[in-house]
Amino acid sequence: MRRGRRRSRGRRRSRGRRRSRGRRRSRGRRRSRGRRGSRGRRGSRGRSERPLQGVGGNRATCLTSVRSPGAGVSSPGRPGPAGSDTAALAQLPPQPPPPSRAQTSPGPASGAAPNRRLGSVRGVSVPQSPPGHRARLSAPGTSRLSSAAREELRRRLLGLIEGHRVVIFSKSYCPHSARVKELFSSLGVDCNILELDQVDDGASVQEVLSEITNQRTVPSIFVSKVHVGGCDRTFQAHQSGLLQKLLEEDPAYDYDLIVIGGGSGGLSCAQEAAVLGRRVMVLDDVVPSPQGTSWGLGGTCVNVGCIPKKLMHQAALLGQALTDSRKFGWEYNQQVKHNWETMTEAIQNHIGSLTRGYRRALREKAVALVNSCGEFVEHHKIKATNGKGQETYYTAAKFVIATGERPRYLGIQGDKEYCITSDDLFSLPYCPGATLVVGASPAALECAGFLAGLGLEVTVMVRSQLLRGFDQEMAEKVGSSMQQLGVRFLRKFVPVEVQQLEKGSPGKLKVVAQSTEGTEMIEGLYNTVSFCRVSGGRMNTTGKIPVNDVEQSSVPYVYAVGDVAEGKPELTPVAVQAGKLLARRLFGGRLEKCDYINAPTVVFTPLEYGCCGYAEEKAVEVYRKENLEVYHTLFWPLEWTVARRDSNTCYAKIICSKFDNDRVIGFHILGPKAGEITQGFAAAMKCGLTKQLLDDTIGIHPTCAEVFTTLEITKSSGLDITQKGC
Ligand code: FAD
């Protein structure tokens, strides 16, 4: 114990000595480099960043209490040598010809909210310069600063730093400055930025700044009056969590984070933020469907999406397995029929247990849950209205909107009165009978698929494409496979009116539909008409919140994840991942962004379609056809041979980028268990899967997935891919 202490003292002493020697040496080196003017070598490592200093008045105070070794924050530095102005300036890149502000300021990441320029900050005597004019911080004629002018400028700079939460001294063309601005922007932090190349006295400011901080380069960042350092130190401080501590949220807010929407994305973000020690509230409110269906916590996925859909898909697959089983020797005499009520009751019981689990998880993580509808009323403030109309107001430093999507009615006569949506289907208390499914989104085809699999008569009415946004060759094959099962497609028609002919559970409805290509009208009789989401799985842009690549909206402290975020895949794991990573970036010092391109997905039609990466059309658009090689084949699952199912329905395709080592940029499979298969290949794609790696992989025989290890025929060769049998 004693030895240990002594050793550490010794270590401390010698480290201290080493450090100061090192500092002296490196300073010397820096100076001489500066003199030589070796600008090119000044990478980020060579940048003269000084450790954290607190600034107050004329003081440069130590900030030992928030020091963190991980942040690379060393002992506080002393103010730099006064009068080292010329040496310091010699190290900085020459100023480019004075550009116009709008052109040169790199600003935050695209789509990010703009940070404040100092020229417009209240209480600071820096007027916003009109174009062509430059602001001054020092009195005119002080470029060779007199001591009085220097003192005055120093006073003003310190005032600036003390008066603002984040101050960045930057140069508009400096890439390091741009990175730092982007970081603060992604954290939703409003910064005050002084572009030293855009104010007349930028050189004098830099000179005095270097006296205060002992850092001669830009960017130079102050957070809560503390000098964090330059670009590298700011990123280190972010990584260690020190930056977040300095930015510590205003205790005047009720919460650090309020999440609006208790679905996949919202819950994941809220729980992660709570794990990171934040005060978090979730608002969740479910507006009942026009048919009166409502549900509990957990959002779409668990209540009216993935979970009940997959379980009903399974119910349908079991029916198919029963048919196949006779070919495998199973003999049974009883009449086999399906009971809708038994199925829905069992599924709803399971859903009940899941939602109770979500509530428990929130309680355990001390996340406040309020069953109310959230609505912004002013900056940082929302109104929460509960089911009884009672209103409560809450404030937070940051907000995440995760309100998801709902199926949409068309607004035609009779739709809300007589039709249901997928929100009602999974808990429908009676078997829907002959059903018209309107739409061709994944959800629509999946519902049509399991209803047909349960033995019902199903028609799908499609305005234009199947599975818009997906690979269209695959989409058409999905359609054909459903037709083989008896699903009827009415292509290029839209319903224009629904009439109720008979009441009942189910009743009888007449649907009038019009061609999208002409004036042709058709009529059909159904027991149930169901609308689904317009999109799903792939990108959708209607009625969404535009966000940048860090899920930030146009209001810097408001973010959006999940289905409500514009142009993102509408998938549960995507919402979950985006929410979790967002919380980590905001509160955990992490920088990872959600990868929206390589999000694998599966359409759970009776024959499943799994994909990851680019659709062929999109790949051609991005890479050009001549730069791609597409390998494909039809295949016959072994299980289907004895069952005498079609030998040319299942299909596998990969799209490879020729100029990137034949990297697999698109993966597509139509076949049994495509979901399970696609997941593994998606992981391989994340690791940079190439055609050669697939060829080198030993297959698992006899499986469907092994087909990807033996793909030989390119689409461009035009060779026959049909299967001739065993
Ligand atoms: P949601 O889960 O929809 O949660 C949003 C929550 O916010 C809801 O509870 C809502 O009531 C609440 N809310 C809305 N407005 C407010 C407000 N103002 N105040 C308070 N609360 C509010 N994805 C897959 O990955 N795989 C699948 O197999 C799959 N199948 C699907 C099948 C169907 C039929 C459907 C409809 C969707 C399916 N999805 C699937 C998509 C998946 O369900 C969604 O991508 C996912 O649920 C999105 O999560 P979210 O957090 O964005 O929104």
Side-chain angles (χ1 to χ4, degrees):
M1 186 70 176
R2 231 183 285 142
R3 225 185 287 151
R5 232 183 278 142
R6 244 184 275 132
R7 232 188 261 141
S8 65
R9 250 189 248 138
R11 243 185 260 138
R12 242 182 282 141
R13 240 182 273 133
S14 65
R15 237 188 263 145
R17 249 180 263 133
R18 250 181 277 131
R19 244 193 242 134
S20 59
R21 250 187 255 135
R23 244 185 254 140
R24 249 179 277 136
R25 236 182 278 136
S26 65
R27 239 185 257 151
R29 246 183 267 134
R30 254 183 265 129
R31 263 195 224 124
S32 61
R33 252 192 240 144
R35 260 178 239 125
R36 266 184 261 128
S38 62
R39 226 179 297 131
R41 244 177 295 141
R42 224 176 354 97
S44 58
R45 244 185 261 139
R47 300 164 66 77
S48 72
E49 291 187 6
R50 297 290 303 165
L52 281 186
Q53 293 174 339
V55 178
N58 279 352
R59 313 177 300 276
T61 19
C62 315
L63 200 93
T64 44
S65 58
V66 290
R67 200 171 339 135
S68 147
V73 176
S74 53
S75 61
R78 279 153 290 170
S84 60
D85 48 349
T86 41
L89 289 174
Q91 290 191 8
L92 291 162
Q95 292 199 2
S100 91
R101 266 161 208 274
Q103 279 167 346
T104 55
S105 180
S110 64
N115 280 314
R116 260 186 248 142
R117 305 275 140 187
L118 273 182
S120 63
V121 170
R122 218 174 347 126
V124 179
S125 55
V126 187
Q128 179 76 60
S129 301
H133 292 253
R134 286 159 164 251
R136 291 195 74 83
L137 213 77
S138 59
T142 51
S143 56
R144 305 276 327 155
L145 287 173
S146 68
S147 63
R150 181 185 301 278
E151 201 41 50
E152 170 60 13
L153 182 53
R154 183 185 175 89
R155 200 184 57 72
R156 287 184 178 215
L157 279 179
L158 292 173
L160 213 80
I161 293 161
E162 288 196 346
H164 298 95
R165 191 157 157 243
V166 177
V167 181
I168 302 177
F169 294 93
S170 150
K171 293 202 174 171
S172 61
Y173 54 82
C174 165
H176 302 288
S177 304
R179 279 186 67 211
V180 167
K181 288 174 212 168
E182 222 170 272
L183 172 69
F184 281 104
S185 167
S186 75
L187 294 173
V189 174
D190 209 4
C191 297
N192 296 278
I193 301 165
L194 185 66
E195 305 287 12
L196 297 186
D197 60 316
Q198 294 192 357
V199 289
D200 271 349
D201 51 355
S204 307
V205 171
Q206 189 159 5
E207 183 185 319
V208 173
L209 195 62
S210 79
E211 290 170 19
I212 297 171
T213 61
N214 212 10
Q215 178 192 317
R216 298 153 191 220
T217 51
V218 290
S220 190
I221 294 106
F222 289 82
V223 178
S224 305
K225 300 176 206 142
V226 172
H227 182 232
V228 178
C231 178
D232 288 353
R233 283 199 183 278
T234 305
F235 272 86
Q236 284 163 6
H238 176 242
Q239 242 162 13
S240 72
L242 176 60
L243 193 63
Q244 290 81 339
K245 276 191 193 156
L246 288 174
L247 288 167
E248 202 73 300
E249 308 309 343
D250 191 336
Y253 294 125
D254 300 329
Y255 292 92
D256 296 325
L257 173 70
I258 290 182
V259 176
I260 308 173
S264 310
L267 290 180
S268 134
C269 186
Q271 294 188 48
E272 193 67 16
V275 166
L276 291 167
R278 295 305 163 140
R279 300 166 299 152
V280 186
M281 169 185 274
V282 171
L283 289 178
D284 190 50
D285 178 57
V286 179
V287 178
S289 74
Q291 304 305 328
T293 310
S294 190
W295 50 89
L297 185 64
T300 303
C301 168
V302 62
N303 293 288
V304 287
C306 330
I307 300 294
K309 181 276 311 282
K310 178 81 190 292
L311 291 172
M312 292 197 175
H313 170 62
Q314 175 63 13
L317 291 183
L318 289 172
Q320 177 70 57
L322 274 173
T323 312
D324 288 354
S325 72
R326 289 190 191 272
K327 305 263 173 28
F328 284 89
W330 288 98
E331 292 171 2
Y332 39 87
N333 298 324
Q334 300 142 276
Q335 196 205 345
V336 179
K337 60 182 183 112
H338 183 258
N339 185 315
W340 176 272
E341 290 81 357
T342 308
M343 175 186 71
T344 44
E345 193 184 326
I347 290 173
Q348 291 304 317
N349 286 344
H350 177 64
I351 290 172
S353 73
L354 293 178
T355 57
R356 283 192 293 281
Y358 289 136
R359 283 182 177 275
R360 205 177 316 119
L362 290 188
R363 253 197 323 273
E364 281 165 8
K365 295 191 176 79
V367 174
L369 172 65
V370 173
N371 289 117
S372 294
C373 176
E375 189 187 335
F376 284 97
V377 283
E378 50 186 86
H379 274 292
H380 292 278
K381 189 172 187 177
I382 53 160
K383 179 171 80 178
T385 311
N386 71 13
K388 294 177 187 149
Q390 289 162 339
E391 295 172 356
T392 315
Y393 293 84
Y394 299 100
T395 59
K398 292 188 167 56
F399 291 84
V400 171
I401 304 176
T403 48
E405 260 275 53
R406 293 289 288 268
R408 295 185 198 162
Y409 283 92
L410 295 181
I412 58 173
Q413 196 182 326
D415 64 355
K416 281 196 180 150
E417 291 93 321
Y418 309 125
C419 304
I420 63 167
T421 69
S422 59
D423 283 354
D424 308 292
L425 182 63
F426 302 113
S427 55
L428 203 66
Y430 54 85
C431 180
T435 304
L436 172 70
V437 175
V438 180
S441 65
L445 296 191
E446 289 169 339
C447 290
F450 70 69
L451 291 174
L454 296 177
L456 304 179
E457 196 185 303
V458 179
T459 306
V460 179
M461 190 174 287
V462 186
R463 176 190 288 270
S464 56
Q465 287 177 318
L466 301 181
L467 300 176
R468 177 186 296 282
F470 285 80
D471 187 293
Q472 280 306 293
E473 181 187 25
M474 299 303 296
E476 286 304 321
K477 287 185 184 297
V478 169
S480 309
S481 72
M482 290 177 71
Q483 270 171 318
Q484 281 176 29
L485 267 182
V487 176
R488 189 165 71 111
F489 281 86
L490 292 173
R491 305 283 297 252
K492 309 234 186 256
F493 275 95
V494 284
V496 289
E497 188 186 343
V498 181
Q499 296 165 16
Q500 188 178 55
L501 302 183
E502 275 173 36
K503 283 188 178 175
S505 304
K508 197 181 266 180
L509 303 171
K510 181 168 109 179
V511 176
V512 182
Q514 185 174 2
S515 163
T516 56
E517 294 180 323
T519 51
E520 189 189 351
M521 305 286 279
I522 54 171
E523 289 181 2
L525 297 183
Y526 307 95
N527 296 118
T528 300
V529 177
S530 179
F531 292 96
C532 286
R533 284 188 179 204
V534 285
S535 132
R538 297 281 115 170
M539 321 302 186
N540 175 25
T541 51
T542 12
K544 305 271 189 142
I545 298 177
V547 289
N548 60 16
D549 64 345
V550 286
E551 288 95 22
Q552 188 176 37
S553 74
S554 58
V555 180
Y557 59 87
V558 178
Y559 299 78
V561 295
D563 289 2
V564 75
E566 184 183 276
K568 313 291 186 207
E570 294 177 11
L571 294 167
T572 289
V574 169
V576 169
Q577 181 83 338
K580 188 168 67 180
L581 294 182
L582 174 60
R584 286 182 185 169
R585 286 198 308 274
L586 292 180
F587 305 117
R590 302 279 290 268
L591 293 170
E592 292 91 342
K593 299 173 192 173
C594 186
D595 174 2
Y596 289 104
I597 295 287
N598 286 315
T601 184
V602 168
V603 183
F604 289 98
T605 35
L607 193 54
E608 296 176 9
Y609 162 41
C611 61
C612 183
Y614 286 98
E616 197 173 330
E617 302 83 346
K618 189 71 190 169
V620 168
E621 196 184 307
V622 175
Y623 290 83
R624 300 163 79 99
K625 195 173 171 36
E626 59 272 27
N627 299 329
L628 300 171
E629 195 69 87
V630 177
Y631 296 85
H632 69 157
T633 189
L634 289 159
F635 66 96
W636 197 18
L638 181 69
E639 299 83 338
W640 284 29
T641 53
V642 172
R644 306 244 178 80
R645 292 217 236 156
D646 187 64
S647 58
N648 282 300
T649 300
C650 298
Y651 181 68
K653 166 165 96 171
I654 56 168
I655 303 157
C656 301
S657 162
K658 278 194 214 166
F659 293 113
D660 192 5
N661 207 16
D662 263 340
R663 190 167 58 85
V664 180
I665 56 162
F667 173 96
H668 302 267
I669 177 168
L670 177 69
K673 300 274 174 212
E676 307 299 332
I677 295 169
T678 306
Q679 185 66 81
F681 284 102
M685 283 174 73
K686 272 295 241 190
C687 303
L689 182 69
T690 60
K691 175 69 170 70
Q692 186 61 52
L693 283 169
L694 277 176
D695 295 345
D696 293 346
T697 302
I698 294 177
I700 300 173
H701 190 66
T703 62
C704 293
E706 73 174 317
V707 72
F708 286 99
T709 65
T710 56
L711 284 174
E712 277 170 0
I713 301 179
T714 60
K715 220 179 196 185
S716 55
S717 72
L719 290 174
D720 184 19
I721 55 167
T722 52
Q723 301 297 300
K724 311 287 178 313
C726 279

